[in-house]
Amino acid sequence: MFPLHRGRRLRTNESIRSLVRETSLSPSDFMFPMFIAEGENVQVEISSMPGIFRRSIDLTVEEVKEIFALGIRAVNIYVKVSENLKDNTGLEAWNSNGLMQNAIRAIKDACPEMIVMPDVALDPYSIYGHDGIIAKGDIENDSTNDALVKMAVSHAQAGADFVAPSDMMDGRVLRLREGLDAAGFHNVGIMSYSAKYASAFYGPFRDALDSAPVDANDIPTDKKTYQMDYANRIEAIKEALWDVEEGADMVMVKPGIAYLDIVREVKNAVNVPVTVYHVSGEYAMIKAAAERGWLDHDKIMMEQLMCIKRAGASLISTYFAKEAAILLNK
């Protein structure tokens, strides 16, 4: 009781505050999401995500080398697929010479110690912009899982360290684990998007890949039949526990800042590392506010990343990874 106890004694100056600080950040806490485009020497800034680019493989490799030198040790990669390669089956997703597979090989050849976690979902390859195969107006769960297994195995063959299923189909982690093991890839891990909510924060990401659901007859125009209802908490714990039981090596909560209660709940429930995706909309809001002078960009960036780590994240997938790493290294 006061006056015997005075909390301010431990806040007197920065040296004392640093001694008792409960949470810390380092560049190795970050994973950098990267968007890959066809061609050579291609670099196109995403208008809704200032400072983030779609890059061709050659420029992606150069960026990977740069961020590795900053201490970042993981990348989560996505591809923008040409319209003529899209269909309702995802066939291009497991093309051994596809854009994703070639990107994985190029990154691992140039920077073998960088951990590469390619996205596993059909939306970049779908004419409908959905994460699965459409039949009779619905996203088919089990046939989609079959396609995802082919996709994941092709990623492993190209050299991926982990596969990162973001589709939210039921049972896909088990099917992926069985498929990878049957193909001899026992050491390729699975980072599952376990609690991925049907969120409006993904808008800029869909701009980056042109992967928003299309408005077509009898086709859902949102992803609410497979992504989670943002009103739910217990469901997130259940989904994460199921994925761990099915063989997930890491689980993810997505989005980040608006879902820190879920991060802590999942962290308390599972015995595997928890990844948090600090998503495109969260990034874009900070950029927009900072451009208008409403917020201090670097201070808000670091505060949000620290809060995600404090909530229980073992790894933070964030578009701020490079900027934050540069700041931390100073």
Side-chain angles (χ1 to χ4, degrees), residues 29 43 45 51 58 86 96 100 114 128-129 133 149 167 199 204 265 305 324:
D29 291 323
Q43 179 169 287
E45 187 172 32
D58 54 331
K86 296 182 179 183
S96 61
M100 178 67 87
M114 180 65 83
Y128 299 116
I133 296 168
V149 170
D167 56 285
S199 170
E265 293 272 15
L305 294 173

Side-chain angles (χ1 to χ4, degrees), residues 70-324:
L70 291 171
I72 296 167
R73 293 294 177 261
V75 292
N76 190 201
I77 58 176
Y78 304 85
V79 292
K80 188 178 188 304
V81 179
S82 300
E83 290 298 319
N84 65 304
L85 296 176
K86 296 182 179 183
D87 62 14
N88 185 37
T89 69
L91 183 63
E92 178 63 17
W94 54 89
N95 178 358
S96 61
N97 290 311
L99 180 58
M100 178 67 87
Q101 290 77 4
N102 288 334
I104 295 167
R105 280 190 286 267
I107 292 170
K108 293 301 291 185
D109 285 347
C111 192
E113 294 181 59
M114 180 65 83
I115 303 303
V116 178
M117 301 191 188
D119 180 56
V120 176
L122 297 186
D123 50 327
Y125 303 90
S126 170
I127 55 175
Y128 299 116
H130 275 287
D131 293 43
I133 296 168
I134 303 287
K136 298 179 181 178
D138 190 23
I139 293 83
E140 282 200 340
N141 193 92
D142 295 2
S143 62
T144 295
N145 282 345
D146 293 339
L148 297 176
V149 170
K150 296 175 186 176
M151 187 179 184
V153 169
S154 76
H155 293 174
Q157 290 169 338
D161 300 282
F162 283 75
V163 294
S166 64
D167 56 285
M168 288 297 287
M169 297 298 115
D170 291 334
R172 89 275 205 213
V173 172
L174 177 61
R175 296 290 175 261
L176 290 176
R177 188 69 271 157
E178 291 173 339
L180 289 167
D181 288 356
F185 296 107
H186 305 87
N187 291 326
V188 172
I190 298 174
M191 182 193 69
S192 176
Y193 290 56
S194 298
K196 181 179 180 180
Y197 285 85
S199 170
F201 282 105
Y202 306 150
F205 176 94
R206 291 172 182 169
D207 292 343
L209 295 184
D210 190 23
S211 62
V214 301
D215 188 2
N217 290 335
D218 300 323
I219 303 296
T221 56
D222 58 43
K223 302 189 177 186
K224 293 180 180 179
T225 67
Y226 46 101
Q227 294 179 359
M228 286 179 48
D229 183 342
Y230 59 71
N232 292 355
R233 177 182 61 85
I234 295 172
E235 185 182 12
I237 302 169
K238 177 183 70 176
E239 291 281 352
L241 289 171
W242 280 352
D243 284 357
V244 173
E245 290 173 0
E246 291 179 15
D249 301 282
M250 302 183 191
V251 297
M252 176 186 277
V253 175
K254 179 181 180 182
I257 284 296
Y259 295 77
L260 294 185
D261 60 320
I262 306 301
V263 176
R264 174 44 57 186
E265 293 272 15
V266 170
K267 179 69 171 181
N268 290 344
V270 302
N271 58 0
V272 299
V274 176
T275 303
V276 175
Y277 202 144
H278 193 216
V279 299
S280 59
E282 296 169 318
Y283 173 89
M285 288 192 301
I286 293 176
K287 289 293 183 181
E291 285 176 3
R292 288 160 177 77
W294 296 343
L295 295 174
D296 184 307
H297 177 279
D298 289 353
K299 288 181 179 178
I300 290 292
M301 171 182 71
M302 298 307 292
E303 182 176 343
Q304 288 206 357
L305 294 173
M306 185 70 80
C307 290
I308 292 171
K309 179 78 179 291
R310 187 196 66 217
S314 304
L315 180 64
I316 305 169
S317 184
T318 176
Y319 301 97
F320 286 117
K322 184 177 178 180
E323 292 175 277

Side-chain angles (χ1 to χ4, degrees), residues 19-71:
L19 285 176
V20 299
R21 189 162 291 140
E22 299 171 27
T23 308
S24 61
L25 281 173
S26 73
S28 62
D29 291 323
F30 305 138
M31 176 162 61
F32 193 31
M34 306 185 79
F35 300 113
I36 301 171
E38 296 280 5
E40 292 185 7
N41 199 34
V42 173
Q43 179 169 287
V44 178
E45 187 172 32
I46 300 159
S47 60
S48 54
M49 300 176 69
I52 301 298
F53 299 83
R54 287 192 297 267
R55 292 185 173 93
S56 51
I57 290 176
D58 54 331
L59 298 186
T60 298
V61 166
E62 294 307 309
E63 181 79 348
V64 167
K65 291 178 182 177
E66 186 175 342
I67 64 173
F68 188 85
L70 291 171

